[in-house]
Amino acid sequence: MNEHIARQLREAAEAHQPDRARMLARVQRGAAGSPARHRARSGLRSWPRAALAGLATAGILATGGLAVAGIVRTQPPPETTPTVPPATSPTVTPTPTPSAPPATSAPAPAATTPAPTRPVPSPSTRSQNGPLWSEGSIGTHSNLYWAENDLTLRTTQPLTTLTVELRIAQTGDVRDTGNWRTLPSDDFTVTVQESGGALVYRWVLKPGRSVPVGQYEFAGQYNHATGVRSSANDSYRVDAQSAGSAASVGGGFTPAR
């Protein structure tokens, strides 16, 4: 049944007010209009007629009430729409951004006096070639008036020829005071002379002599002008031959230790 029609019937049934007096009069008129065939029995049937009229009235009322009640009962309950709670977005709590620590000025480093260190020979003071290895340095006994340039020579093969030369740059009042070597003095010819703005010490191995495998020292000693002397322009060179092959090494001198 259409929902609109059902609602109208329900409203009509609720508003209906039966006119009992009119209905009872209609029943009574119908009963009075019927012809009486036997007058003698009219008294006997008067009660049943009244009873019938009452029953008819009650039946009409009952029928009307049942019809209205049936309409009301058969009406399906109104559909209920489930209430859906409105969607809510989750509450996001912002993560606090850590604040940068206040800038602080770094304390100034305390002034320190560097500890004295022993000079390390630079690569230019050392040299190696074939069986030869060498290193130049300023002697530890050097002072403000006098100095010594030392050369350490090492060979891993016997040498048949050997020439060692030390060049001491003329830095002012440089004069020879002596020289020495750890090999026998009779095996070498030694010369000391000034040449090309330097004091030159030279040792030359005599013919027929040889230098065995080992480590040896050569030194040139000299006076110089008062003060700390620079050895930056001093140099050495070694030329040798062993077992038919020649080798040479050379370099400078490290400051005094």
Side-chain angles (χ1 to χ4, degrees):
M1 181 181 292
N2 189 293
E3 181 180 356
H4 179 69
I5 298 174
R7 185 172 63 253
Q8 288 182 344
L9 290 175
R10 185 169 58 253
E11 291 175 356
E14 292 175 354
H16 176 72
Q17 298 292 334
D19 191 348
R20 297 182 181 181
R22 181 178 296 178
M23 293 175 63
L24 181 60
R26 185 179 298 175
V27 172
Q28 289 176 354
R29 282 196 303 270
S34 302
R37 294 180 182 181
H38 303 284
R39 307 289 293 182
R41 297 181 179 179
S42 60
L44 296 175
R45 296 188 179 189
S46 61
W47 180 83
R49 289 178 182 177
L52 288 175
L55 290 174
T57 300
I60 291 172
L61 293 176
T63 302
L66 289 174
V68 173
I71 292 173
V72 175
R73 284 196 304 269
T74 55
Q75 178 65 26
E79 297 181 359
T80 57
T81 304
T83 303
V84 179
T88 58
S89 57
T91 303
V92 178
T93 303
T95 303
T97 303
S99 58
T104 57
S105 57
T112 57
T113 302
T117 57
R118 300 181 65 182
V120 178
S122 62
S124 62
T125 65
R126 294 179 179 179
S127 180
Q128 185 171 3
N129 181 22
L132 301 180
W133 178 93
S134 62
E135 178 181 3
S137 61
I138 302 301
T140 56
H141 299 293
S142 301
N143 53 54
L144 297 178
Y145 312 98
W146 176 91
E148 177 181 286
N149 286 30
D150 297 331
L151 171 65
T152 301
L153 177 65
R154 185 185 307 153
T155 178
T156 58
Q157 294 180 6
L159 304 177
T160 56
T161 64
L162 175 63
T163 299
V164 177
E165 182 179 278
L166 306 184
R167 297 182 65 87
I168 313 302
Q170 185 55 260
T171 56
D173 295 334
V174 174
R175 296 188 304 273
D176 172 49
T177 60
N179 64 85
W180 58 269
R181 78 250 124 238
T182 56
L183 287 168
S185 58
D186 293 341
D187 291 348
F188 289 89
T189 300
V190 181
T191 60
V192 179
Q193 62 182 357
E194 290 192 17
S195 175
L199 181 64
V200 180
Y201 294 84
R202 181 180 291 112
W203 293 265
V204 178
L205 184 65
K206 293 178 180 180
R209 307 294 176 92
S210 63
V211 176
V213 174
Q215 178 172 305
Y216 308 100
E217 300 289 335
F218 294 82
Q221 300 171 334
Y222 54 92
N223 289 332
H224 59 76
T226 303
V228 178
R229 179 183 176 276
S230 172
S231 61
N233 294 322
D234 297 351
S235 63
Y236 70 86
R237 178 181 177 85
V238 178
D239 297 305
Q241 187 168 353
S242 65
S245 63
S248 298
V249 290
F253 297 86
T254 60
R257 294 179 175 84

